Amino acid sequence: MPNSHSQKITYSPAYTVVPTYECFNRCAYCNFRTEPGKSEWLTISQAEKLFKQLHNQDVCEILILSGEVHPLSPRRQAWFQRIYDLCELALAMGFLPHTNAGPLSFEEMQQLKKVNVSMGLMLEQLTPELLNTVHKHAPSKTPEVRLQQLQWAGELKIAFTTGLLLGIGETEQDWWKTLEAIAEIHQRYHHIQEVILQPHSPGHQQTFDAPPFNPHQLPKVISQARQILPPDISIQIPPNLIKDDEWLLACLEAGARDLGGIGPKDEVNPDYPHLPEQELREILHPAGWELVPRLPVYPQYDHWLSVQLQTNIKRWRTFFRQLTVL
């Protein structure tokens, strides 16, 4: 158990913006995608109205989460430009963008670094056997493609979030191999700020017929992950996917220290709403944990950012410091 002095558990006050739900992948467990051409793209004017509504709600992170347009599609450039413009708008309106839009080219990542404080991509699992099952119709889930993103992010000095999806047909040994691959790349570039351990949680849209990942296994996975990963990588768990308060606390005791972006809707797991921040505090506080907000980029990466991005960062860090004093 935590000692008598409260230990900090962080989260990002976030809002998820979806440029499009269309995706050329068809992952069997997905509850997010629509067929290409069947989803209207979010317009810049719609986003501007939304961002205005978010002012004075203490939302710092705008998570740009998109379905994937095929790299060879004639609409790829327009899709990428829409993501870039949304990030640029979010910045101009005082927010901090973080983009997760599937695998990107080196040049696309280089461009997005100008308008993002951090970026992310789930590795999910590196076992190639999943290409015959849940990823059979998901070309961009090739392990080498996903790992390449982590390497490019390191070369470009982009603070990065990645993670594992647990319970999609992999073995226990696959968990450790995937974590070891993350650790190895981080030791070269020192750019991975968080690793998410996300339990498979069945939703209404998926075709994958499998039970949810057993939350009672999570503390063991977290404990082993803490042994494999370098200490400067934070382990993140999504609290809305761990319905048992006792096991949520057990995950923290095992070494998880971050709860990720918390907003009105989990777009990836829409069947599992987030608990309100105050309810989370009521669960954590009696056990000696203090829930504190953080930015989508950790302080040790601030110097990798442009002057414009650093200006927004400083304003938010000052605001959060004042909150803790109050």
Side-chain angles (χ1 to χ4, degrees):
M1 286 292 291
N3 60 33
S4 58
H5 299 287
S6 293
Q7 295 191 48
K8 289 180 170 54
I9 300 298
T10 56
Y11 77 103
S12 176
Y15 192 96
T16 303
V17 170
V18 180
T20 179
Y21 291 91
E22 73 170 78
C23 188
F24 77 93
N25 287 320
R26 284 186 287 126
C27 302
Y29 48 77
C30 183
N31 292 285
F32 173 87
R33 75 178 292 276
T34 60
E35 287 292 328
K38 300 291 179 66
S39 173
E40 293 290 332
W41 291 10
L42 181 72
T43 67
I44 298 302
S45 60
Q46 288 171 329
E48 186 173 8
K49 289 178 185 176
L50 174 60
F51 293 161
K52 285 178 180 176
Q53 294 169 7
L54 294 177
H55 278 150
N56 305 316
Q57 292 188 32
D58 297 345
V59 170
C60 69
E61 175 182 351
I62 297 297
L63 168 57
I64 308 291
L65 180 71
S66 185
E68 299 177 44
V69 171
H70 195 285
L72 300 180
S73 168
R75 298 191 303 150
R76 175 77 177 198
Q77 180 54 41
W79 169 81
F80 176 77
Q81 189 63 49
R82 184 63 50 87
I83 291 171
Y84 187 96
D85 291 345
L86 288 169
C87 294
E88 193 171 47
L89 176 64
L91 267 181
M93 297 183 71
F95 300 103
L96 304 176
H98 170 102
T99 293
N100 186 331
L104 301 165
S105 70
F106 184 88
E107 291 74 21
E108 287 170 337
M109 294 179 76
Q110 193 172 38
Q111 286 296 308
L112 283 178
K113 180 183 177 178
K114 300 175 184 177
V115 290
N116 280 268
V117 299
S118 58
M119 294 174 63
L121 180 77
M122 295 285 280
L123 281 185
E124 298 187 356
Q125 295 292 340
L126 294 183
T127 173
E129 282 77 14
L130 298 182
L131 296 173
N132 298 319
T133 56
V134 292
H135 292 157
K136 186 175 183 179
H137 303 290
S140 80
K141 296 300 173 77
T142 304
E144 293 77 13
V145 171
R146 316 294 280 188
L147 279 175
Q148 181 73 81
Q149 298 290 294
L150 267 65
Q151 181 177 326
W152 283 344
E155 293 173 5
L156 289 166
K157 290 184 163 44
I158 296 172
F160 213 72
T161 295
T162 189
L164 281 64
L165 183 52
L166 305 168
I168 56 173
E170 78 288 352
T171 69
E172 187 172 315
Q173 286 306 308
D174 292 328
W175 303 338
W176 317 141
K177 288 178 182 177
T178 303
L179 287 165
E180 286 163 3
I182 294 170
E184 181 182 345
I185 290 179
H186 178 75
Q187 284 161 356
R188 268 188 277 162
Y189 300 105
H190 304 283
H191 65 305
I192 296 172
Q193 52 185 11
E194 299 153 342
V195 167
I196 305 167
L197 297 177
Q198 179 180 321
H200 165 246
S201 304
H204 70 283
Q205 184 176 321
Q206 69 181 52
T207 59
F208 181 44
D209 184 18
F213 185 80
N214 183 353
H216 295 181
Q217 285 187 275
L218 262 182
K220 172 191 174 182
V221 182
I222 292 166
S223 179
Q224 185 65 19
R226 189 65 283 163
Q227 296 299 311
I228 294 171
L229 296 172
D232 57 335
I233 295 178
S234 182
I235 294 178
Q236 180 186 126
I237 54 171
N240 57 314
L241 303 184
I242 306 169
K243 291 301 186 182
D244 188 314
D245 295 354
E246 177 185 343
W247 286 100
L248 175 60
L249 294 173
C251 288
L252 304 184
E253 291 170 25
R257 289 294 178 271
D258 186 74
L259 301 182
I262 295 179
K265 181 181 180 182
D266 183 341
E267 291 281 0
V268 174
N269 295 282
D271 300 272
Y272 301 84
H274 283 293
L275 282 176
E277 177 190 325
Q278 186 53 39
E279 287 188 35
L280 277 174
R281 292 184 190 281
E282 290 169 3
I283 295 169
L284 301 182
H285 183 71
W289 302 104
E290 179 187 3
L291 186 64
V292 296
R294 62 157 174 85
L295 304 190
V297 61
Y298 289 21
Q300 63 265 36
Y301 301 110
D302 285 1
H303 68 285
W304 284 357
L305 303 174
S306 68
V307 172
Q308 179 193 8
L309 293 175
Q310 287 192 38
T311 299
N312 282 30
I313 288 289
K314 287 174 184 175
R315 183 163 59 245
W316 276 106
R317 292 209 192 284
T318 300
F319 175 71
F320 281 163
R321 277 197 298 270
Q322 292 170 343
L323 276 185
T324 56
V325 170
L326 293 173

